[in-house]
Amino acid sequence: NIPVEIANNVTGIAAGDYHSLALLKDGRVTGWGAGAQNLNDGINYGQTNIPVGIGNNATGIAAGDLHSLVLLKDGSVTGWGRNNEGQINIPVEIANNVTGIAAGDYHSLALLKDGRVTGWGRNDLGQTNIPAGIGNNATGIAAGLFHSLALLKDGRVTGWGDNSNGEINIPVGIGTNATGIAAGVAHSLALLKDGTVTGWGSNGQGLNNIPAGIGNNATGLAAGADHSLALLKDGRVTGK
């Protein structure tokens, strides 16, 4: 149920399990769905209660299971909603140093200005244990249910955390050709330089069966629990 007042005013979107977020042209953030009240009843944890302090200073948003994150103009990050695993406890040391954010179900990631990646929140499967090999070479991040991905400067993709469905077994064929990544609950996607898409991990519901119609026309990706989406060059969206 998209709020009427945000019509023609959106520059970014993010979706959690029961809530949605929009980044507006003037730097404000709005949210809808579950979470309008801090009921702690299973789905309502205040994840759509946008903190007053954000004002019109937002440049990026991310939505986890029941928590929300925002990247501000000054390079800082703030979070709200459920915090049972520390997923909105922003590390002090990343203050004013962030260029990208990602939210998993119970963990969060930040891409730093110098190309490093940091994570916080649930870490029972190593989803916030950043591999030493990433160094300061990351240009993109994505967070799934219990796994994390990073896109590196040379076009490689690396993953860490849960691998029970092969979600961090990066296909050899990707090589140094990736330009974008997305992480679902137990599957992963990569956008390649030639506009094609590849997927790996869980293939229930055909998550990784890339539709032939995409060809080499993809420019963006998104991954949900049991579905995948691609944005095409002509502005169409296709899903599987």
Side-chain angles (χ1 to χ4, degrees):
N1 293 334
I2 314 301
V4 174
E5 61 271 18
I6 71 172
N8 309 112
N9 195 30
V10 179
T11 62
I13 50 176
D17 272 26
Y18 303 97
H19 73 293
S20 303
L21 301 175
L23 174 63
L24 305 185
K25 292 178 182 178
D26 63 2
R28 290 179 297 126
V29 175
T30 190
W32 61 98
Q37 298 176 346
N38 293 292
L39 298 179
N40 295 345
D41 63 352
I43 63 171
N44 290 280
Y45 290 88
Q47 61 267 43
T48 58
N49 291 342
I50 314 302
V52 175
I54 290 175
N56 62 348
N57 294 305
T59 62
I61 51 177
D65 176 23
L66 297 166
H67 75 287
S68 303
L69 299 175
V70 65
L71 174 63
L72 303 181
K73 292 177 182 177
D74 65 1
S76 64
V77 177
T78 190
W80 63 99
R82 195 177 191 191
N83 196 35
N84 61 316
E85 300 284 352
Q87 58 265 52
I88 62 171
N89 290 341
I90 315 301
V92 175
E93 62 270 20
I94 71 172
N96 308 111
N97 195 29
V98 179
T99 61
I101 51 176
D105 267 34
Y106 305 104
H107 73 290
S108 303
L109 301 175
L111 174 63
L112 305 186
K113 292 177 181 177
D114 63 2
R116 290 179 295 127
V117 176
T118 191
W120 61 97
R122 186 168 180 172
N123 193 38
D124 57 327
L125 294 169
Q127 57 266 52
T128 64
N129 290 342
I130 313 304
I134 290 178
N136 62 348
N137 293 306
T139 60
I141 50 177
L145 176 61
F146 298 128
H147 75 288
S148 303
L149 300 175
L151 174 64
L152 305 185
K153 292 178 182 177
D154 63 2
R156 290 180 296 127
V157 176
T158 190
W160 61 99
D162 186 27
N163 196 36
S164 55
N165 291 279
E167 54 265 59
I168 61 172
N169 289 341
I170 313 302
V172 175
I174 289 177
T176 57
N177 293 306
T179 61
I181 51 176
V185 165
H187 77 290
S188 304
L189 302 173
L191 173 64
L192 305 186
K193 291 177 182 177
D194 63 1
T196 60
V197 176
T198 190
W200 62 99
S202 173
N203 197 36
Q205 316 299 324
L207 294 169
N208 298 318
N209 296 341
I210 312 302
I214 290 178
N216 61 348
N217 293 307
T219 61
L221 297 173
D226 296 309
H227 70 294
S228 303
L229 298 174
L231 174 64
L232 305 185
K233 292 176 182 177
D234 63 3
R236 290 180 297 126
V237 174
T238 189
K240 178 65 176 179

